[in-house]
Amino acid sequence: QELAFGSTRPSPDTPVSVSADALSVNQEDGTATFTGNVVIEQGDMILSAATVLVVYKEDSQKIASLQASGGVTMASGKDAAEAQNADYDIDAGIVVLTGNVLLTQGENAITGEKVTIDIDAGTATAGGRVRTTLQTGN
Amino acid sequence: CGFTPVYAPGGAADGLKGQISFAAPSTRDDQLLVRHLEQQLGHTTAGRFQFKYTLKVDQQRMAVAANNTTARFNLIGKVDYQLIDPASETVLISGSATQFTGYSATGTTVATRAADEDARARLMVILGDQVVAQLLAKSADLPK
Amino acid sequence: AQSVAGQSAASQQAVPATQNAVLVADSLKVEGRNVLIARGNVEVFHQGRRLRASEITYNRKEDRLNITGPITLEDEDGVVILAGSAELDSRFENGLMLGARMVLDQRVQLAANELNRIGGRYTQLYKVAATSCRVCETGRPPLWQIRAKRTTHDNEAKQLYFDQAQVRILDVPVLWLPRLRLPDPTLKRATGFLMPSLRQNSQLGLGVRVPYFIRMGDHRDLTLTPFVSANTRTLEWRYRQAFHNGGLTFEGAVSDDDIKAGTRGYVFGNGRFDLARGFKLDLQIEAVTDDAYLLDYGFSSKDRLRSEVAVSRVTQDEFIATRLTAHQSLREGDINSQLPTTVANGLYERRFRPAGIGGVVTLSAAAAAYHRYSSDDIVGRDVARTNVSAHWQRDWTLPLGLRATHVFGVRGDAFHLAQDSTSPRQQGQLTPEAQLVLRWPFQKTTANGVTHLLEPVAMLGWAGGSNDNIPNEDSTRSEFDEGNLLSLSRFTGESRRERGGQSAIGLRWVRQGAQWGSDLTLGRVYRDAAEADFSATSGLSGKVSDVLIAGQLRNAQGFTLGARTLLDAGLSANKAEARVAWQRKDFGLMASYVWLGRDPGEDRADVISEWVLDGSYRFARHWTGATRWRYDVAGDKLAEARLGVNYRNECVDLNLSLSRRFTSSTNVDASTSVDFTVNLTGFSTGKTDSSYTRSCRN
């Protein structure tokens, strides 16, 4: 079944690289906050944001989830998404975008308040007075 | 007894006389009506007030004889008017006047036509007198 | 990625100009790249069309919307389709809708269990019920409906085509038509049949009129109305044409009936055109083959016809009128050859306001010619006249508000007579005239805001010249009322003038209050010598005229009563006339009365006393009654009686009227006619008065 976002389904264990201007680590809860032109790559998906809070798994090598805020853009293959914030639960493969969300699938654009992308299921669900154009073809 | 002369200084016609410019006529009836109004309220082309009106004259068959000939006609005139302040386009006074008069149609074709036209001219005088009386009655609440 | 100027909140207005439809919903689920599932207040917009539904699934590959209801599809031109479920393309131009109801211009409803959209232009409905009547959930059938196996609505031609149509009244089939075409209510002009009407007439028998309207382009149309009954085969017609500077309308009829041998017919036409420099051209034609035709068929009650060409112009201070007229009398007593049937008139009148002497100078020049085509002496008299006049009028406001107007003038008349041995062929006269009019109005306003105007008026007048030997063609029916109390000459035409010295006095009292107002005018004329040419009942014969009493009563509730009478020295009336008009929202009454004394001078052998009453009353929401009575009090018989009842709601307009005309003469018989017209409203354009629309509550 085709994916709603991106063309390949990244498996949870594909490596995630993060680059940013600054990094601050919080030992107690094992989280790290990247600030300033944060760019995160996983497979052919790229997420960039102003600040990204990264939550590591208990054994603190793998990333469990990311919380990006301050204006987020994601791109994967022909698709892209923009929002104010984005929470990416890598294990579940669920990305929740909130605040002026704009999701584009090729030439089809969907706007809404909140968009949940289930990468594995290949679906995207938008809520809060959604709006899209009905593009025919492909 | 409270009556004051209308055309004396401070009378009802004081603010009106020579201050109303009447809308141009489009029919002979309009013209005769305006002529009678101007004869009493004065003529001007740049008055403080503008007088706009629509005039309608209907004809009604009266006195239908046994052999269906019509012996008389009634002319029913109605004029709806507005006194307007040209600067602000606000309507200061609006009103209407109506009355009927009649003419006999038992004469020749020419006599009946002349009677019709004379009746129309008389009707314009009657309507004009009513309008003048209404304007004079409301002249007190016009802006000075 | 293609960026769309969409904010988070749905902005229906900012529809992108692309060809694609825009979807807005509470929630949207995208499955893969091709399937969109929208739920919650789903709206789809496409070029002025709007579809609303509870849930829509859109398949991009097949460009197909699967829609679950309740669905509302609003087309342009006021077409609304409601449906339970539907499958359409994203431009709503092709597809199927089930359990559909199509509403045209909020008036005509077509219900069908299946509706097919084809190419965005045609909408086909199967097993259709079409009506403009109120349809309520009570299950009661609408007053009338058209059932059809299939109906096609053409949105471009704005037509409705029914196949196997069946017209039902309260669910009872009354008419079956293989094919029926009706115009869409938003269509302004379309060729086709208009609603038929039934007419039962005592002379013509029972007949039906079926009008057929033919649109001839955007500026012309022709309506042909065959009227066939037991005694007549008639074709009525009406032709209209609009020009950029005017328009004309002709109507007429041609008949072959059992009342009179030979073909009978009439033509009435009029036209008005704007010419250069403010002139207007007025055309009028009225002609009929025989005297009784117009009355037999109820086309017109005119007893004298007039055809005319007139060119005229009216400006503030100038009046120009020229006209050529042909008269035709249908009256029993008239002999057309002895009436002036061909008449030409011309008048030029100009007014100046000279600075030096002040006041107003009025110059006028008139000419007229009356031709009788009989050449017998006196009865065949032809007349030509020219009249010139100059008057100077000035008004003054004297101390204490006394208004004075003086008029000095002179008239020159020249008459040329033919075929009248009693009068010299040429006649001329010069009439110097002078007049002084005095008005002294007083006004008082009482505490409670009632204003009284008291205006004594007086006139002194003198005119020279004499009326000898000039035949009185146009001044045989003069009247005396408050409109010419102060005139220098109360004769209606140019062939007579009041001469010698005269004076007139009058008093006018006007009361004006918030609740009611009244006018009263009294007047009398005193002359130094009686005017022989005034008839007895004109009130102006003799050295002292009748007393004129005229008045009006009016109130704020739309009631007006006007009355006028002339009382001679013995206080018996020569004339009395009155008119009542009372207009309310649902009620209108107009009654007029006239009483004229016997006067051989006005060809009135016996007293005329008649009243006419016109009333209409909307006695219920959908029912209006109307009546007209013309009662000859002197002869104590009814001249005309008409009763009409109208039932009107949002989808039907029924008119039933019974009228009886009692007048009869050698060529016209009394007649009774019953008219019944049924109009299925909703298919015609024009605004509807919603006060007649029934609602489901009652």
Side-chain angles (χ1 to χ4, degrees):
Chain A
Q1 205 240 11
E2 282 178 318
L3 294 186
F5 187 77
S7 47
T8 57
R9 184 177 286 102
S11 66
D13 43 24
T14 44
V16 175
S17 71
V18 181
S19 65
D21 299 347
L23 162 65
S24 73
V25 179
N26 179 331
Q27 292 301 349
E28 293 88 12
D29 58 13
T31 62
T33 306
F34 296 84
T35 52
N37 300 318
V38 183
V39 174
I40 299 171
E41 293 183 48
Q42 183 191 29
D44 63 4
M45 183 158 74
I46 303 164
L47 186 149
S48 56
T51 24
V52 174
L53 171 73
V54 177
V55 176
Y56 292 91
K57 289 194 175 129
E58 287 71 25
D59 56 16
S60 78
Q61 270 73 29
K62 287 265 178 44
I63 297 177
S65 68
L66 308 165
Q67 289 168 13
S69 56
V72 178
T73 55
M74 290 174 66
S76 167
K78 294 200 304 287
D79 303 340
E82 287 164 29
Q84 261 141 30
N85 318 304
D87 297 351
Y88 181 16
D89 178 337
I90 295 181
D91 291 343
I94 300 284
V95 183
V96 176
L97 300 142
T98 52
N100 284 340
V101 182
L102 168 63
L103 166 66
T104 50
Q105 278 184 328
E107 324 83 32
N108 305 317
I110 301 169
T111 60
E113 267 310 299
K114 177 177 177 234
V115 175
T116 310
I117 303 175
D118 181 337
I119 298 177
D120 301 339
T123 64
T125 311
R129 226 36 207 164
V130 183
R131 179 191 142 80
T132 179
T133 51
L134 301 181
Q135 207 94 23
T136 58
N138 60 43
Chain B
C1 60
F3 276 97
T4 59
V6 163
Y7 289 97
D14 219 7
L16 284 175
K17 180 95 173 48
Q19 293 299 331
I20 305 174
S21 51
F22 294 90
S26 52
T27 65
R28 177 62 165 175
D29 291 343
D30 292 348
Q31 189 178 54
L32 294 176
L33 174 67
V34 167
R35 192 173 289 181
H36 190 65
L37 292 172
E38 284 186 338
Q39 205 262 324
Q40 299 190 51
L41 294 176
H43 168 82
T44 176
T45 48
R48 277 172 49 216
F49 310 112
Q50 248 179 0
F51 182 88
K52 290 200 171 125
Y53 56 92
T54 46
L55 174 63
K56 197 158 69 73
V57 178
D58 292 330
Q59 178 164 281
Q60 178 191 27
R61 275 174 79 213
M62 293 296 295
V64 174
N67 56 11
N68 199 58
T69 57
T70 306
R72 190 155 177 95
F73 284 99
N74 270 355
L75 288 180
I76 301 124
K78 183 166 194 292
V79 56
D80 296 302
Y81 63 87
Q82 289 177 336
L83 197 70
I84 296 166
D85 167 6
S88 60
E89 295 281 335
T90 51
V91 176
L92 304 167
I93 297 176
S94 75
S96 75
T98 180
Q99 183 56 303
F100 79 100
T101 188
Y103 65 92
S104 284
T106 50
T108 67
T109 51
V110 164
T112 305
R113 186 81 182 262
D116 176 6
E117 285 170 356
D118 182 67
R120 279 175 176 268
R122 298 196 314 266
L123 192 57
M124 292 312 127
V125 169
I126 296 169
L127 291 177
D129 283 342
Q130 276 192 19
V131 170
V132 169
Q134 289 179 20
L135 291 177
L136 291 177
K138 295 183 184 138
S139 64
D141 33 12
L142 283 177
K144 282 295 168 280
Chain C
Q2 171 235 22
S3 76
V4 170
Q7 306 84 4
S8 61
S11 51
Q12 280 92 333
Q13 299 76 14
V15 173
T18 61
Q19 279 299 330
N20 303 320
V22 173
L23 179 142
V24 179
D26 287 348
S27 81
L28 180 73
K29 187 166 186 241
V30 180
E31 284 175 358
R33 318 197 67 75
N34 285 322
V35 175
L36 285 172
I37 303 160
R39 283 197 192 83
N41 298 318
V42 185
E43 291 184 51
V44 184
F45 304 90
H46 183 262
Q47 284 178 341
R49 295 191 190 126
R50 177 165 109 155
L51 183 139
R52 276 173 288 152
S54 58
E55 184 179 323
I56 292 183
T57 305
Y58 177 61
N59 183 311
R60 286 197 208 289
K61 261 218 185 58
E62 295 153 12
D63 181 28
R64 192 163 38 76
L65 296 163
N66 279 319
I67 311 163
T68 49
I71 301 169
T72 310
L73 168 56
E74 287 162 27
D75 237 342
E76 322 95 310
D77 310 331
V79 177
V80 174
I81 300 175
L82 315 166
S85 68
E87 216 181 276
L88 296 168
D89 64 29
S90 64
R91 286 181 301 284
F92 323 131
E93 287 177 350
N94 297 289
L96 188 66
M97 301 177 87
L98 300 178
R101 206 151 50 90
M102 184 175 183
V103 181
L104 303 176
D105 205 22
Q106 289 147 15
R107 277 183 290 166
V108 175
Q109 293 181 52
L110 299 102
N113 45 32
E114 202 183 301
L115 180 146
N116 235 318
R117 294 277 284 179
I118 301 160
R121 171 174 175 178
Y122 299 102
T123 305
Q124 280 190 341
L125 300 96
Y126 298 91
K127 293 200 194 60
V128 185
T131 180
S132 59
C133 297
R134 169 201 67 178
V135 180
C136 293
E137 273 63 33
T138 56
R140 275 212 316 272
L143 194 55
W144 63 265
Q145 59 179 311
I146 300 174
R147 293 271 179 127
K149 196 162 79 62
R150 187 184 64 170
T151 303
T152 307
H153 175 249
D154 177 341
N155 203 2
E156 244 158 61
K158 299 224 174 307
Q159 299 285 358
L160 275 164
Y161 304 92
F162 293 84
D163 293 320
Q164 327 289 341
Q166 195 189 76
V167 180
R168 292 191 181 184
I169 303 217
L170 288 172
D171 232 1
V172 174
V174 292
L175 182 67
W176 185 84
L177 296 161
R179 277 185 63 73
L180 168 68
R181 179 181 59 76
L182 286 174
D184 170 326
T186 58
L187 183 63
K188 295 253 177 319
R189 296 166 74 235
T191 300
F193 284 102
L194 302 178
M195 290 313 285
S197 60
L198 278 174
R199 156 164 270 209
Q200 196 322 339
N201 178 297
S202 56
Q203 289 177 296
L204 304 171
L206 178 66
V208 65
R209 296 175 69 245
V210 184
Y212 187 78
F213 178 85
I214 303 167
R215 175 180 175 206
M216 302 153 75
D218 288 343
H219 310 298
R220 301 182 315 157
D221 57 52
L222 175 66
T223 308
L224 297 174
T225 309
F227 168 52
V228 177
S229 77
N231 305 342
T232 179
R233 271 76 46 208
T234 297
L235 177 66
E236 298 167 29
W237 56 272
R238 183 195 67 181
Y239 174 78
R240 295 186 305 176
Q241 181 159 0
F243 300 83
H244 69 279
N245 63 339
L248 51 83
T249 306
F250 286 91
E251 60 182 25
V254 181
S255 301
D256 165 29
D257 59 29
D258 309 341
I259 302 171
K260 193 169 186 302
T263 53
R264 309 169 76 190
Y266 87 97
V267 176
F268 279 8
N270 57 64
R272 155 156 281 198
F273 296 90
D274 297 331
L275 305 177
R277 294 202 308 283
F279 282 92
K280 286 213 177 354
L281 168 66
D282 281 289
L283 302 170
Q284 178 178 319
I285 175 167
E286 289 175 353
V288 73
T289 53
D290 61 277
D291 295 353
Y293 184 66
L294 294 173
L295 263 181
D296 285 347
Y297 286 79
F299 290 136
S300 163
S301 54
K302 287 187 170 179
D303 56 21
R304 277 186 174 163
L305 304 183
R306 179 165 80 193
S307 299
E308 189 170 83
V309 179
V311 175
S312 63
R313 180 171 79 179
V314 180
T315 59
Q316 193 79 18
D317 287 321
E318 186 190 59
F319 178 57
I320 303 171
T322 59
R323 65 180 185 235
L324 183 61
T325 316
H327 295 278
Q328 178 188 359
S329 173
L330 310 177
R331 290 185 186 173
E332 197 180 43
D334 280 354
I335 305 162
N336 271 298
S337 66
Q338 294 174 7
L339 282 173
T341 48
T342 313
V343 179
N345 290 79
L347 170 62
Y348 178 82
E349 185 186 89
R350 187 82 168 77
R351 299 180 73 205
F352 305 90
R353 287 182 180 75
I357 54 174
V360 176
V361 170
T362 308
L363 302 178
S364 96
Y370 317 127
H371 173 68
R372 295 178 167 84
Y373 53 79
S374 148
S375 49
D376 305 340
D377 187 19
I378 302 175
V379 287
R381 178 176 59 233
D382 300 334
V383 176
R385 62 166 167 82
T386 54
N387 318 75
V388 289
S389 72
H391 287 83
W392 172 50
Q393 166 182 325
R394 175 136 193 216
D395 49 73
W396 313 78
T397 304
L398 303 174
L400 292 178
L402 176 62
R403 287 276 296 158
T405 306
H406 68 63
V407 180
F408 297 101
V410 62
R411 290 178 186 278
D413 305 321
F415 289 84
H416 172 79
L417 307 166
Q419 289 156 17
D420 183 344
S421 54
T422 62
S423 315
R425 290 181 61 81
Q426 307 286 357
Q427 278 275 44
Q429 59 189 14
L430 207 60
T431 311
E433 293 177 343
Q435 184 185 32
L436 175 67
V437 180
L438 298 172
R439 288 173 181 269
W440 203 359
F442 291 79
Q443 183 164 307
K444 166 174 99 168
T445 302
T446 63
N448 46 31
V450 174
T451 303
H452 293 274
L453 177 77
L454 208 55
E455 182 180 34
V457 291
M459 182 276 272
L460 285 170
W462 174 82
S466 65
N467 293 327
D468 43 24
N469 297 334
I470 295 176
N472 185 356
E473 282 287 359
D474 55 11
S475 305
T476 57
R477 296 294 183 277
S478 297
E479 295 276 327
F480 177 33
D481 66 18
E482 62 275 31
N484 63 4
L485 170 62
L486 302 174
S487 302
L488 189 46
S489 173
R490 297 173 192 83
F491 281 111
T492 56
E494 295 294 337
S495 53
R496 281 294 176 279
R497 305 217 64 78
E498 294 194 45
R499 309 223 183 247
Q502 66 164 303
S503 69
I505 56 164
L507 179 67
R508 184 161 160 249
W509 168 51
V510 181
R511 176 197 189 282
Q512 293 180 81
Q515 278 317 315
W516 63 280
S518 65
D519 273 25
L520 181 64
T521 304
L522 306 171
R524 199 166 207 178
V525 178
Y526 301 84
R527 332 181 43 78
D528 58 10
E531 265 301 345
D533 291 303
F534 278 127
S535 64
T537 55
S538 72
L540 294 163
S541 56
K543 290 177 74 171
V544 179
S545 78
D546 286 4
V547 174
L548 161 69
I549 307 173
Q552 188 181 67
L553 199 61
R554 48 189 179 272
N555 73 10
Q557 281 75 34
F559 174 86
T560 308
L561 161 67
R564 183 175 299 115
T565 187
L566 293 174
L567 299 179
D568 63 16
L571 288 189
S572 71
N574 269 320
K575 168 173 90 168
E577 48 190 1
R579 185 169 186 274
V580 170
W582 192 9
Q583 195 61 41
R584 302 295 301 275
K585 196 163 75 60
D586 291 339
F587 166 82
L589 169 71
M590 268 175 292
S592 302
Y593 175 71
V594 65
W595 186 93
L596 299 169
R598 185 174 300 107
D599 190 345
E602 291 194 3
D603 295 338
R604 196 165 42 250
D606 34 40
V607 166
I608 280 184
S609 168
E610 181 193 276
W611 52 262
V612 183
L613 182 132
D614 262 296
S616 75
Y617 177 45
R618 186 172 168 185
F619 52 89
R621 181 193 179 104
H622 299 295
W623 294 91
T624 304
T627 183
R628 151 169 292 193
W629 297 80
R630 189 184 293 277
Y631 184 68
D632 176 0
V633 179
D636 186 19
K637 55 183 172 24
L638 214 49
E640 205 181 304
R642 201 181 79 79
L643 272 173
V645 67
N646 165 267
Y647 173 83
R648 181 172 157 201
N649 63 22
E650 72 287 355
C651 64
V652 74
D653 187 349
L654 303 172
N655 286 289
L656 177 65
S657 79
L658 166 71
S659 55
R660 168 92 176 122
R661 178 173 46 73
F662 298 86
T663 56
S664 66
S665 66
T666 50
N667 45 32
V668 172
D669 302 334
S671 82
T672 308
S673 55
V674 178
D675 282 275
F676 180 64
T677 59
V678 179
N679 277 323
L680 304 187
T681 53
F683 291 95
S684 59
T685 60
K687 57 182 175 27
T688 54
D689 177 348
S690 58
S691 68
Y692 287 98
T693 307
R694 296 174 299 173
S695 62
C696 285
R697 273 185 312 289
N698 50 12

